[in-house]
Amino acid sequence: MKHVIEDAENGCENVCTDVCEGIATNTGTNTGISIATNTDTNTGISIATNTDTNTGANIGMNSGIHVGVNSAANIGSTSGRRGGRLKKGLMLLMMAAALGLTGCSSGDGSSSSGSGTNSTSESDADSASGSDAEATSGSSADTEPVEVRMAYFPNITHAQALVMKNEGSLEEALGDGYEVSWTSFTAGSSEVEALFAQEIDIGYIGPVPAINGNVKSDGDVIVIANASDAGAVLVAAADSGISSVEDLDGKTVAIPQVGNTQHLCLLNLLSQNDLSPVSSGGTVEVVAVDNSNLQNMFDQGSVDAALVPEPWGTILTSSDNVELVLDYQDIYYSGNYPVAVIVVRKDFLEEYPEVVETFLQVHIDTTDAINEDLDGAADAMIEEIYNVTGNEYEKDVILSSFSRTTFTVELNEDALLEFADVSLAEGFIDELPDDSLVDLSILEGLLDGGK
């Protein structure tokens, strides 16, 4: 392919034929890298740095490689704003020219005075007529991508995170210049520690660990949106004689973790029914049991009841020896309470508000998509949970869990603050959170803008 290249300053025209990715043969007396006797005193390959009329590798204002005939016939390096980066291209040009002249075999030392990793493409030569702006569109290559480190649980109540991660929608929305990573947790306390250590920027987490994180960090962990409500039930062994909260007197009740959302829901239920745990001088033995071990515990008679999140309520009650005692709407606040919220580190929010806004928009869109297509969301969640844990849920279990869980970005702040009251009463926090606990300003702006 021939290129006609005009040098506006010298008023001369170079007609080049590309050989071996941008190495040109001049129609004049020079072939390859403009080896000629010029009007000055340079004979052969004149490698120089000048700001005058070079035909060759113009580094700086031009991004292409011009090989042709010039009144000075110098192959030089015009220093400019991108001279350092394109210097490698000049070196590679010299090596490639030697290869082209010898059937693309290895050249000798005179034709390979440097080495590089960039080659001159046809488009580079086409754009080398002097357009400085077009030559450096890839400035992002000079900067490190902004890390966005996400946290979540492989739980049904963290559905948006699972779907978002499975589809790669956050990565797509942020685009180039950002690098998203996802870390799964199984305990809220572990995620809070990762936030404190600045290993996580944005996280899906239970409301109670979010409250603890905010208080213990003096406001550095902030709730910026809701993710899901309810999604928990109270179940009991079929032969336990338990049909109400009052019947928990003298029984052993399992919760997933000490101090988590289900634990505080249980403590609130006990308080409302004049009961308390053994640890507080009461009669109800409360034990932390991993959800996956609960069926064995019921089979062995080690526990009498359990307050568990979905899908474990559905899984346990599908057996013959576990029955439902309280459904999701009877656990706390008629089911209108957060079971998963989103938190962000204050310093990350202040430094990258545009990232938080983009994330929240994806979160809103994903929430809407889940509610519009529960079947498709279940497929994505099943796949993602399996990828993380190796556990594969039946689809009907997930869909049944959806019936007890509300996926919404709207946060019931009253229910959240009541969790804080229970946390303080039970000694999980030393003081109530202040106004720094919740900041819904970005979320509300996005929701108002979408109306």
Side-chain angles (χ1 to χ4, degrees), residues 177-236:
Y178 298 91
E179 185 175 294
V180 180
S181 61
W182 294 85
T183 303
S184 66
F185 292 86
T186 57
S189 57
S190 298
E191 183 174 329
V192 168
E193 290 173 3
L195 286 162
F196 288 172
Q198 298 190 346
E199 296 170 351
I200 294 297
D201 304 310
I202 303 171
Y204 288 78
I205 196 170
V208 176
I211 292 168
N212 294 346
N214 173 268
V215 172
K216 294 176 181 178
S217 67
D218 293 326
D220 287 339
V221 176
I222 304 171
V223 176
I224 56 173
N226 194 42
S228 59
D229 287 349
V233 294
L234 179 66
V235 299

Side-chain angles (χ1 to χ4, degrees), residues 359-383:
F359 160 74
L360 283 175
Q361 185 61 64
V362 176
H363 174 66
I364 293 169
D365 294 343
T366 304
T367 303
D368 291 341
I370 290 172
N371 288 318
E372 291 169 5
D373 183 12
L374 294 176
D375 193 75
D379 289 335
M381 293 166 65
I382 289 169
E383 180 179 358

